[in-house]
Structure formats: C-alpha cells, structure tokens
Amino acid sequence: MSSDFKLDAVKGHDSEDPEVGPLNGVHTILPERRATTLSDRLFRGSRAGHGEIVSIPNEKRGHGSAKKSGPLLSGTAYCISSCSMILLNKVVLSSYNFNAGVSLMFYQNLISSVIVVLLGFSGVVTVEKLNWKLVRVWIPVNIIFISMLVSGMYSLKYVNIAMVTILKNVTNILTAIGELYLFRKHQSQKVWTAMFLMIISAISSGITDISFDTLGYAWQISNCILTASYSLTLRRVMDEAKKYTRSGSLNEVSMVLLNNLLSLPFAAFLIIMFDEWEYIKSVDVIKLPMFWVIATASGLLGLAISFTSMWFLHQTGPTTYSLVGSLNKIPISLAGLVLFKVPLSLPNLFSILFGLFAGIFFAKAKMS
C-alpha cells in the first residue's frame, strides 16, 4: 500500500514523508539511524575489508565505481518498488473489484512475516527475540498500524491514486500539529507556508474531482489521522519497547516483524467479524492465477520498499531520501491517472500538480 513513515522515534522526524510505505510501517521511521543498522549488514559486501583496498588497485577502482553507481541503483530500486506496489494494490482492489481489503492485508503481512523470519534464521538480518512484555508494549502501536493499513486499502479502492497522493499531504499537517502539542516541536515559517499550500491543494483537488467518492474520501481522511497517530504514538512507545529487548534497542527489521506478525491475529478477527471469509469462499476472482500473482507481488514489494529505502538512505542521506520521496509522487500520480483512465478535468489536473509541488516545497522547507 502507499505509505508512508520516515521519522526517528527520538530524532530525525524532519525527514518525514508518511506516504512512502505503509505496509510494514517502518521505512518511515528512523531514517538517520537506519543507515548504520540493517543496511550495513545487507550491503557491507559492497565495501572492501580492512587492507583489501591497499593491496589490490583494481578492486579500489571497482569500489569507486560502485560508490558512484550506488545512489542511482538504490534510488531507482526504491522508486520502482514503491510505485509498483501502489499500482498493484490498485489493480487488486479496483480492477479485480476485490472487496476484502482486510484479507489482502492479512496475506501481504503473512508474506512479510515469513520472509523476515527466514532471513533472521539464515543470519542475513538481526531480529530481536520477541517476548510478552515487548509484545504488550507494542500492541497499542500495532492496533493503530492495522487500522492505518485497512483504511489505506479501502481509500485506494475508491479514490484514484493521484488524489490519494494529494490527500496524504494532510498527514504531514496533522503530524506537525501533534508534534507541536505533544513534544513542543516548532516548525519554521516555510514549513507552515508549505502546509498551508497543501491544505489549499487538497481542498481544491477534492472540489474539482470528477470521480469524487464520499466513502473513499472518508476512508482517506481516516487514514491520514491514523498515519499521523501511528507516527506520534510510535515515538512515545519506542523508548519503552527498548527496555524489553536483549540489545537495548529495537532495529527496523524487528519492527517490521512485530507489526506484521502481531497484525495477523487481529486481521483474522476482523475477517471473521466483517464476514470476509464467506465472501472469499464465493468470489470468482480468487480462482484466477494472475490475481494471486499480483497480490503476492504487492506483498513482496511492500517488504522490498523497506530494504530498498534502507539501501538508498545508506547510499545517500536523509535529505536526498526525503526529496526523492516527494519527487517520486509525481510519476506515481501520473501513472495512476493514465493506467486506470481516471476521468479528469483541467482544474483538477492543475490542483493535483499544485499539490505535488507543494509536497516538494514542504520537503525542501523541512531540510532548511
């Protein structure tokens, strides 16, 4: 799903762009610290060991070349994975008219959980051992996380991708207000100006949206509130959660596992409560192999966003990462308009473009 999260629970919140990744709820967290944790383990093979560079000149040149191409490759991988996931989720929910968003979330989170567990067992990544005290502390965050994913699923079903992207800018505003009242964090005049432009673009885009859907907009507004709540709640819970880990910290992969694994029983309960199981047993679309290919690919891409965002951040830095995340909304929005043949008026197109550039202005304002 579209996402979004990029702040440190203690610091680094300035890089936030809550749209980029909601499936695992992690690549919007801890951008600065992330660069020295998982990415070091995953991509340490691209660095020479102590003494290797001195003894082998050709290898030195090879590492120089890799250093130059690293940001381009990692940035491309991050953009492709994030764009592809949003588009594939839209295909599953709208093109296949799949009306079981909670079940789709359950399937995607199950895929992420299995992969992270396998990577942990194989030693590729480090995962904190879960215990009841840690789980108990994390449950409030996880409930908001699940609600955020479900609302995002249903908003994407009823609202076109471009409008989802513009409306998600509201999350930045809610987060900034929450930070002001909860953490006494003040923003610069440029940031508030950018957020004012975001409000104008969201209102004008909604008014001029030919395919306006009241239910879809209600889901998206709920998603913005829940995404901001997730970010703010996570910031409060992180310090408490660290007390119940062996290492005294909680890395990004462990948060992926916590969010996705704990979401499964809650999702199963919702599937039963919303009677989605009866729908799944009777709907014909699940008999189509291509449906499962797309649903599985979207789940894999959700996890891929986490790893590629870590890789990209490791190769560049929070500033470039935040700016590219904002710029990445442009091709996502345009692709959504073209591929799904969204009815569009000229005022609505200008409102969408205005909102996209307001997002870029916001990212640059946060950097200054």
Side-chain angles (χ1 to χ4, degrees):
M1 147 166 356
S2 55
S3 176
D4 131 0
F5 316 133
K6 293 174 200 147
L7 347 172
D8 189 328
V10 180
K11 61 181 180 178
H13 203 293
D14 292 344
S15 305
E16 182 180 4
D17 173 8
E19 185 194 355
V20 182
L23 179 70
N24 49 52
V26 167
H27 56 280
T28 54
I29 317 287
L30 315 169
E32 295 176 3
R33 211 181 60 191
R34 178 191 306 132
T36 57
T37 54
L38 176 65
S39 53
D40 286 339
R41 291 178 59 85
L42 289 178
F43 309 113
R44 63 187 173 188
S46 64
R47 309 173 190 170
H50 299 295
E52 290 179 347
I53 295 180
V54 175
S55 58
I56 305 176
N58 287 336
E59 186 171 334
K60 184 176 181 180
R61 286 196 298 269
H63 282 279
S65 176
K67 187 175 181 180
K68 291 179 180 178
S69 62
L72 178 61
L73 292 175
S74 58
T76 302
Y78 165 65
C79 292
I80 291 175
S81 58
S82 60
C83 288
S84 300
M85 183 189 177
I86 296 172
L87 294 173
L88 288 181
N89 272 334
K90 182 66 174 178
V91 169
V92 171
L93 295 166
S94 296
S95 298
Y96 281 103
N97 197 29
F98 188 64
N99 295 315
V102 180
S103 299
L104 178 60
M105 179 197 71
F106 178 90
Y107 181 62
Q108 293 178 340
N109 290 2
L110 178 62
I111 291 174
S112 294
S113 299
V114 170
I115 293 176
V116 171
V117 169
L118 291 175
L119 290 175
F121 278 130
S122 63
V124 175
V125 298
T126 300
V127 181
E128 287 289 340
K129 186 176 180 180
L130 304 186
N131 58 72
W132 170 242
K133 290 183 178 179
L134 177 59
V135 169
R136 187 175 57 187
V137 169
W138 202 261
I139 283 177
V141 175
N142 193 249
I143 291 174
I144 300 175
F145 171 73
I146 296 166
S147 303
M148 179 183 65
L149 291 190
V150 172
S151 60
M153 285 284 189
Y154 284 107
S155 68
L156 191 60
K157 176 177 175 60
Y158 297 108
V159 182
N160 69 73
I161 292 176
M163 284 306 308
V164 166
T165 301
I166 298 304
L167 294 173
K168 272 186 172 293
N169 285 335
V170 175
T171 304
N172 292 319
I173 301 168
L174 297 176
T175 303
I177 295 173
E179 286 183 324
L180 178 62
Y181 285 96
L182 295 176
F183 305 110
R184 297 294 182 264
K185 180 177 180 180
H186 295 272
Q187 305 292 343
S188 67
Q189 188 66 40
K190 285 185 178 180
V191 171
W192 287 112
T193 300
M195 288 191 286
F196 177 71
L197 296 177
M198 287 177 174
I199 294 174
I200 293 176
S201 67
I203 294 175
S204 62
S205 297
I207 293 174
T208 57
D209 185 7
I210 296 177
S211 56
F212 181 90
D213 187 286
T214 304
L215 181 60
Y217 272 67
W219 278 115
Q220 184 53 53
I221 292 172
S222 300
N223 180 255
C224 291
I225 295 171
L226 289 164
T227 303
S229 300
Y230 175 84
S231 173
L232 297 169
T233 305
L234 182 65
R235 205 171 161 184
R236 284 186 173 273
V237 169
M238 278 293 296
D239 287 338
E240 184 68 19
K242 292 174 185 177
K243 298 176 183 178
Y244 304 110
T245 62
R246 288 184 175 181
S247 64
S249 63
L250 191 63
N251 64 31
E252 296 81 0
V253 180
S254 298
M255 285 193 286
V256 171
L257 184 60
L258 265 173
N259 272 332
N260 287 280
L261 195 60
L262 292 181
S263 72
L264 298 180
F266 288 109
F269 173 76
L270 292 175
I271 289 171
I272 295 171
M273 187 175 73
F274 293 154
D275 206 26
E276 281 193 5
W277 180 244
E278 293 299 323
Y279 167 80
I280 292 173
K281 288 194 299 183
S282 60
V283 71
D284 292 330
V285 71
I286 65 169
K287 299 175 184 177
L288 302 175
M290 187 53 65
F291 171 82
W292 287 105
V293 170
I294 296 175
T296 302
S298 65
L300 293 173
L301 284 167
L303 192 58
I305 292 173
S306 292
F307 293 123
T308 56
S309 63
M310 293 174 197
W311 181 23
F312 183 40
L313 184 62
H314 176 66
Q315 293 288 333
T316 56
T319 299
T320 302
Y321 177 66
S322 179
L323 184 57
V324 170
S326 297
L327 290 171
N328 196 36
K329 294 178 181 180
I330 297 176
I332 292 175
S333 300
L334 295 179
L337 292 173
V338 173
L339 294 177
F340 296 97
K341 300 178 180 178
V342 177
L344 197 65
S345 65
L346 192 59
N348 188 231
L349 177 61
F350 280 124
S351 297
I352 291 172
L353 293 175
F354 179 73
L356 293 173
F357 286 107
I360 296 172
F361 179 54
F362 173 80
K364 295 193 70 174
K366 294 280 277 186
M367 296 172 198
S368 60

